[in-house]
PDB file of all heavy atoms in Angstrom:
ATOM      1  N   GLU A  67     -24.927 -16.613 -30.876  1.00  0.00           N
ATOM      2  CA  GLU A  67     -23.546 -16.231 -31.156  1.00  0.00           C
ATOM      3  C   GLU A  67     -22.589 -16.646 -30.055  1.00  0.00           C
ATOM      4  O   GLU A  67     -21.414 -16.920 -30.307  1.00  0.00           O
ATOM      5  CB  GLU A  67     -23.437 -14.720 -31.376  1.00  0.00           C
ATOM      6  CG  GLU A  67     -24.111 -14.221 -32.646  1.00  0.00           C
ATOM      7  CD  GLU A  67     -25.593 -13.912 -32.477  1.00  0.00           C
ATOM      8  OE1 GLU A  67     -26.164 -14.246 -31.406  1.00  0.00           O
ATOM      9  OE2 GLU A  67     -26.181 -13.336 -33.419  1.00  0.00           O
ATOM     10  N   HIS A 384     -47.395 -14.136 -40.072  1.00  0.00           N
ATOM     11  CA  HIS A 384     -47.298 -13.134 -38.997  1.00  0.00           C
ATOM     12  C   HIS A 384     -48.449 -12.127 -39.066  1.00  0.00           C
ATOM     13  O   HIS A 384     -48.948 -11.665 -38.055  1.00  0.00           O
ATOM     14  CB  HIS A 384     -45.973 -12.362 -39.076  1.00  0.00           C
ATOM     15  CG  HIS A 384     -44.759 -13.218 -38.857  1.00  0.00           C
ATOM     16  ND1 HIS A 384     -44.768 -14.345 -38.089  1.00  0.00           N
ATOM     17  CD2 HIS A 384     -43.479 -13.075 -39.305  1.00  0.00           C
ATOM     18  CE1 HIS A 384     -43.544 -14.879 -38.077  1.00  0.00           C
ATOM     19  NE2 HIS A 384     -42.742 -14.127 -38.809  1.00  0.00           N
ATOM     20  N   CYS A 416     -38.802 -10.950 -39.087  1.00  0.00           N
ATOM     21  CA  CYS A 416     -39.709 -10.372 -40.084  1.00  0.00           C
ATOM     22  C   CYS A 416     -40.863  -9.632 -39.421  1.00  0.00           C
ATOM     23  O   CYS A 416     -41.324  -8.600 -39.897  1.00  0.00           O
ATOM     24  CB  CYS A 416     -40.276 -11.473 -40.974  1.00  0.00           C
ATOM     25  SG  CYS A 416     -39.153 -11.990 -42.281  1.00  0.00           S
ATOM     26  N   TYR A 417     -41.330 -10.189 -38.304  1.00  0.00           N
ATOM     27  CA  TYR A 417     -42.502  -9.618 -37.628  1.00  0.00           C
ATOM     28  C   TYR A 417     -42.284  -8.193 -37.139  1.00  0.00           C
ATOM     29  O   TYR A 417     -43.234  -7.488 -36.846  1.00  0.00           O
ATOM     30  CB  TYR A 417     -42.928 -10.515 -36.449  1.00  0.00           C
ATOM     31  CG  TYR A 417     -41.744 -11.094 -35.706  1.00  0.00           C
ATOM     32  CD1 TYR A 417     -41.083 -10.363 -34.741  1.00  0.00           C
ATOM     33  CD2 TYR A 417     -41.256 -12.360 -36.030  1.00  0.00           C
ATOM     34  CE1 TYR A 417     -39.963 -10.873 -34.106  1.00  0.00           C
ATOM     35  CE2 TYR A 417     -40.148 -12.877 -35.401  1.00  0.00           C
ATOM     36  CZ  TYR A 417     -39.501 -12.122 -34.435  1.00  0.00           C
ATOM     37  OH  TYR A 417     -38.388 -12.622 -33.814  1.00  0.00           O
ATOM     38  N   ASP A 458     -39.583 -18.076 -33.719  1.00  0.00           N
ATOM     39  CA  ASP A 458     -39.053 -19.347 -33.205  1.00  0.00           C
ATOM     40  C   ASP A 458     -37.526 -19.328 -33.104  1.00  0.00           C
ATOM     41  O   ASP A 458     -36.956 -19.766 -32.111  1.00  0.00           O
ATOM     42  CB  ASP A 458     -39.547 -20.536 -34.050  1.00  0.00           C
ATOM     43  CG  ASP A 458     -39.480 -20.314 -35.546  1.00  0.00           C
ATOM     44  OD1 ASP A 458     -39.207 -19.178 -35.974  1.00  0.00           O
ATOM     45  OD2 ASP A 458     -39.704 -21.272 -36.301  1.00  0.00           O
ATOM     46  N   SER A 459     -36.864 -18.779 -34.116  1.00  0.00           N
ATOM     47  CA  SER A 459     -35.406 -18.732 -34.055  1.00  0.00           C
ATOM     48  C   SER A 459     -34.958 -17.869 -32.874  1.00  0.00           C
ATOM     49  O   SER A 459     -34.033 -18.213 -32.142  1.00  0.00           O
ATOM     50  CB  SER A 459     -34.841 -18.181 -35.368  1.00  0.00           C
ATOM     51  OG  SER A 459     -33.450 -18.353 -35.427  1.00  0.00           O
ATOM     52  N   THR A 460     -35.660 -16.771 -32.685  1.00  0.00           N
ATOM     53  CA  THR A 460     -35.342 -15.866 -31.579  1.00  0.00           C
ATOM     54  C   THR A 460     -35.640 -16.521 -30.236  1.00  0.00           C
ATOM     55  O   THR A 460     -34.924 -16.312 -29.255  1.00  0.00           O
ATOM     56  CB  THR A 460     -36.137 -14.556 -31.752  1.00  0.00           C
ATOM     57  OG1 THR A 460     -35.738 -13.966 -32.988  1.00  0.00           O
ATOM     58  CG2 THR A 460     -35.884 -13.584 -30.626  1.00  0.00           C
ATOM     59  N   ALA A 488     -38.506 -21.187 -39.456  1.00  0.00           N
ATOM     60  CA  ALA A 488     -37.372 -20.624 -40.194  1.00  0.00           C
ATOM     61  C   ALA A 488     -36.816 -19.410 -39.469  1.00  0.00           C
ATOM     62  O   ALA A 488     -37.494 -18.795 -38.649  1.00  0.00           O
ATOM     63  CB  ALA A 488     -37.804 -20.190 -41.591  1.00  0.00           C
ATOM     64  N   ALA A 490     -36.416 -16.445 -40.889  1.00  0.00           N
ATOM     65  CA  ALA A 490     -36.802 -15.919 -42.200  1.00  0.00           C
ATOM     66  C   ALA A 490     -36.094 -14.612 -42.561  1.00  0.00           C
ATOM     67  O   ALA A 490     -35.561 -14.466 -43.650  1.00  0.00           O
ATOM     68  CB  ALA A 490     -38.312 -15.735 -42.263  1.00  0.00           C
ATOM     69  N   MET A 491     -36.090 -13.686 -41.628  1.00  0.00           N
ATOM     70  CA  MET A 491     -35.559 -12.344 -41.911  1.00  0.00           C
ATOM     71  C   MET A 491     -34.167 -12.381 -42.536  1.00  0.00           C
ATOM     72  O   MET A 491     -33.838 -11.587 -43.402  1.00  0.00           O
ATOM     73  CB  MET A 491     -35.506 -11.564 -40.599  1.00  0.00           C
ATOM     74  CG  MET A 491     -34.974 -10.170 -40.716  1.00  0.00           C
ATOM     75  SD  MET A 491     -36.308  -8.973 -40.816  1.00  0.00           S
ATOM     76  CE  MET A 491     -36.183  -8.419 -42.489  1.00  0.00           C
TER      77      MET A 491
HETATM   78  C1  TPP C 701     -27.897 -10.843 -31.567  1.00  0.00           C
HETATM   79  C2  TPP C 701     -28.485 -10.831 -32.923  1.00  0.00           C
HETATM   80  N1  TPP C 701     -28.174 -11.809 -33.773  1.00  0.00           N
HETATM   81  C3  TPP C 701     -28.711 -11.820 -35.017  1.00  0.00           C
HETATM   82  C4  TPP C 701     -29.551 -10.837 -35.420  1.00  0.00           C
HETATM   83  C5  TPP C 701     -30.089 -10.837 -36.835  1.00  0.00           C
HETATM   84  N2  TPP C 701     -31.469 -11.238 -36.908  1.00  0.00           N
HETATM   85  C6  TPP C 701     -32.433 -10.371 -37.109  1.00  0.00           C
HETATM   86  S1  TPP C 701     -33.919 -11.098 -37.052  1.00  0.00           S
HETATM   87  C7  TPP C 701     -33.288 -12.599 -36.782  1.00  0.00           C
HETATM   88  C8  TPP C 701     -34.039 -13.861 -36.556  1.00  0.00           C
HETATM   89  C9  TPP C 701     -35.338 -13.957 -37.084  1.00  0.00           C
HETATM   90  O1  TPP C 701     -35.849 -15.250 -36.901  1.00  0.00           O
HETATM   91  P1  TPP C 701     -37.220 -15.502 -36.204  1.00  0.00           P
HETATM   92  O2  TPP C 701     -37.211 -14.933 -34.834  1.00  0.00           O
HETATM   93  O3  TPP C 701     -37.547 -16.920 -36.305  1.00  0.00           O
HETATM   94  O4  TPP C 701     -38.233 -14.610 -37.049  1.00  0.00           O
HETATM   95  P2  TPP C 701     -38.661 -14.646 -38.591  1.00  0.00           P
HETATM   96  O5  TPP C 701     -37.790 -13.672 -39.303  1.00  0.00           O
HETATM   97  O6  TPP C 701     -38.515 -16.044 -39.059  1.00  0.00           O
HETATM   98  O7  TPP C 701     -40.060 -14.192 -38.628  1.00  0.00           O
HETATM   99  C10 TPP C 701     -31.948 -12.509 -36.762  1.00  0.00           C
HETATM  100  C11 TPP C 701     -31.106 -13.665 -36.625  1.00  0.00           C
HETATM  101  C12 TPP C 701     -29.837  -9.815 -34.499  1.00  0.00           C
HETATM  102  N3  TPP C 701     -30.615  -8.789 -34.807  1.00  0.00           N
HETATM  103  N4  TPP C 701     -29.301  -9.843 -33.256  1.00  0.00           N
END
Side-chain angles (χ1 to χ4, degrees):
Chain A
E67 292 86 351
H384 296 331
C416 280
Y417 38 83
D458 44 351
S459 191
T460 299
M491 180 98 250

